[in-house]
Amino acid sequence: MLRRFRALIVAGCTGLALLPGGAAAAADCAPISVTSATPENFFWNPLFNGYGNDNTSLTDWTAGDNSISVQLPSGIGANSGKTLWLFNDTLLGQTLAPAPPGQPYRHHAGGKGFARNTAVVQNPPDLWLTQTLYGGGPVSDPLPWIRHPEHPAKRYELLGARVEPASPGSVTKRLKIMLLEKDDSVPLYGGTLGYGVATLDPANLAAPLGTPVRFDAVDIGRGKIYWGVSLVPKSDGHTYIWGESSQTIGGIFGSNAYLARVAGGNLHNPWQWQFWNGSSWTAAGRQDLAQPVITFTGGAGGGATDTGVAHGFSVQQVGTRYALVTMDPTAESGYGVYRQLTMYTICNIADPEAALNPVRFGKNRFAVVPEAALPKPPGYAEYTGTSGAYMPALHPQFTHSTGLLLSYSLNDFAPDGAGLTNIANNVNRYRPKFMRVAVS
């Protein structure tokens, strides 16, 4: 399949059943209603599948998780107006067909080919995917794009990103990417060190401008908060910074959602951030006073009163309101294998006391991810019961009359290394999938 597709972006053709929404709204701010959620099989899913399968370059992106996007500003040279897609754990290299016996899907050619984070460049106006950014080295053992120059065991997961002034009042623009810093010498979540910011020149994306800065995550009694899951600019001059702290309640794994804000140009300086404390914004730098906006309650079965977010969620302005989209952790029976896409309505992001309480509207579980649904809908037989969805992301620059553009990550959570084997044998299980979500 060719990697280049013309930019006719329309809704997909395969519908998903909508799930019931939340409670009745107050008159001054109606909840956002999802009227349809359709896989984007005309343009976006074929675009990334085609790029991943195109072996013109054997150092290009093949598959990965995360799929957060950020649009670069105009007037910055060769990268003017481009979109940057951010990925975490990424397979690079060649895909082959026919696949191994019994697997009619394209598979990875073998070897390591695994970078901890990468980015893919998308060009206007045709929206071609043209380049994969990583840290160099052989494709069998590639270096990550964002890395610590002196400590290779430290790795960075890429979170939200934003282009803003280099500092308050500066005319120089910088791309600032929020990070979750981990230590690969410590297994899984035990190796999480804190959150941080990488700063890049949007005209030259080869490497950060210096070592990424790390900040300690403060434990406020509900676990440590990691900031930057989603970044939302507002016309009041602030960037609103969403964070999360994860925990397990009754065997269910989920997260609380938190909110901070900072004036433009200071995203890289959390000592200037204000934090929502449950009734007002704190003085600058008082992360220890942060209180959740959405509290994870646990509760298997996903009842209407069970709230919470999963690891990775996304917020976008919709008219005068805001949509927070997450996987519903309360609907699952264990860690990781999420299926339910859920939306919370936010009336006024600057006034959490009056308008951010999710109890006001409840949650709208608006769709089931078909790749992770059981039983599988027709056409999704390639995915097993261990397929799970996570880290949904909204892409405001690609919203149009047919709705919001939503992507989500896929993975295979089979135990004892079987998940990695399943992904290698079918790279489609580790590629982002896209939906067009119509709202009113």
Side-chain angles (χ1 to χ4, degrees):
M1 184 182 294
L2 296 176
R3 75 170 61 180
R4 293 182 167 89
F5 296 80
R6 293 290 173 183
L8 287 173
I9 310 171
V10 299
C13 299
T14 305
L16 294 179
L18 300 183
L19 299 175
D28 60 329
C29 173
I32 297 171
S33 174
V34 177
T35 57
S36 65
T38 56
E40 226 300 351
N41 291 327
F42 180 83
F43 180 81
W44 288 98
N45 286 328
L47 176 70
F48 278 85
N49 287 340
Y51 185 67
N53 290 339
D54 186 340
N55 291 323
T56 303
S57 169
L58 300 185
T59 60
D60 275 356
W61 180 95
T62 296
D65 67 354
N66 194 10
S67 69
I68 289 175
S69 69
V70 57
Q71 187 166 19
L72 303 178
S74 58
I76 57 166
N79 292 326
S80 179
K82 295 181 179 181
T83 293
L84 201 61
W85 293 86
L86 308 181
F87 293 93
N88 290 329
D89 291 342
T90 304
L91 282 173
L92 301 175
Q94 189 176 17
T95 63
L96 299 177
Q103 288 282 353
Y105 314 107
R106 295 191 72 89
H107 67 284
H108 193 245
K112 186 177 179 183
F114 188 75
R116 283 300 194 177
N117 64 68
T118 63
V120 173
V121 179
Q122 184 178 39
N123 283 8
D126 288 333
L127 304 185
W128 302 344
L129 303 176
T130 60
Q131 182 184 10
T132 298
L133 302 175
Y134 71 104
V139 71
S140 60
D141 193 15
L143 294 171
W145 176 48
I146 306 295
R147 62 191 185 279
H148 195 292
E150 299 174 357
H151 300 286
K154 291 183 179 180
R155 67 178 171 95
Y156 300 102
E157 289 189 5
L158 311 184
L159 302 176
R162 174 151 167 69
V163 176
E164 67 162 19
S167 59
S170 173
V171 297
T172 301
K173 298 295 185 182
R174 290 289 180 253
L175 170 62
K176 299 176 184 179
I177 303 175
M178 298 297 302
L179 309 169
L180 192 61
E181 184 176 326
K182 296 188 173 183
D183 185 344
D184 267 350
S185 66
V186 181
L188 202 60
Y189 290 99
T192 303
L193 301 175
Y195 64 97
V197 180
T199 300
L200 295 92
D201 179 355
N204 181 8
L205 299 171
L209 298 171
T211 302
V213 178
R214 180 175 67 84
F215 309 101
D216 289 331
V218 175
D219 193 329
I220 60 166
R222 296 182 179 90
K224 292 184 177 181
I225 307 173
Y226 301 105
W227 296 97
V229 175
S230 187
L231 303 178
V232 184
K234 194 176 185 300
S235 58
D236 64 5
H238 289 92
T239 295
Y240 287 79
I241 307 152
W242 289 89
E244 66 174 48
S245 66
S246 298
Q247 57 187 313
T248 302
I249 299 177
I252 309 298
F253 185 83
S255 299
N256 299 323
Y258 297 82
L259 188 60
R261 69 179 186 180
V262 70
N266 260 323
L267 182 61
H268 63 288
N269 184 2
W271 295 283
Q272 295 298 319
W273 297 4
Q274 296 175 286
F275 302 86
W276 181 248
N277 69 5
S279 60
S280 62
W281 295 103
T282 69
R286 292 304 306 271
Q287 182 185 173
D288 58 307
L289 299 178
Q291 293 294 313
V293 169
I294 299 175
T295 300
F296 174 54
T297 61
T305 60
D306 294 323
T307 59
V309 295
H311 174 54
F313 58 90
S314 189
V315 182
Q316 176 182 329
Q317 186 168 357
V318 179
T320 60
R321 300 161 297 175
Y322 296 80
L324 185 154
V325 176
T326 183
M327 307 306 298
D328 185 357
T330 72
E332 313 302 341
S333 59
Y335 169 73
V337 189
Y338 298 127
R339 300 180 178 90
Q340 302 282 352
L341 279 163
T342 298
M343 181 181 293
Y344 292 98
T345 297
I346 301 164
C347 294
N348 180 0
I349 200 171
D351 186 5
E353 183 178 24
L356 286 181
N357 186 349
V359 175
R360 183 176 185 186
F361 297 129
K363 60 187 179 184
N364 180 351
R365 289 170 57 195
F366 64 89
V368 176
V369 171
E371 296 87 357
L374 292 175
K376 297 285 183 289
Y380 292 91
E382 65 181 278
Y383 301 97
T384 68
T386 54
S387 296
Y390 57 110
M391 298 184 77
L394 294 162
H395 308 285
Q397 70 272 39
F398 297 118
T399 295
H400 59 56
S401 59
T402 62
L404 314 179
L405 183 66
L406 170 70
S407 64
Y408 50 88
S409 296
L410 285 179
N411 211 329
D412 192 301
F413 294 91
D416 301 325
L420 292 175
T421 300
N422 291 339
I423 289 168
N425 287 343
N426 177 6
V427 291
N428 204 35
R429 292 186 185 184
Y430 197 50
R431 287 175 177 165
K433 300 301 175 187
F434 290 82
M435 282 184 182
R436 188 64 72 176
V437 181
V439 297
S440 63

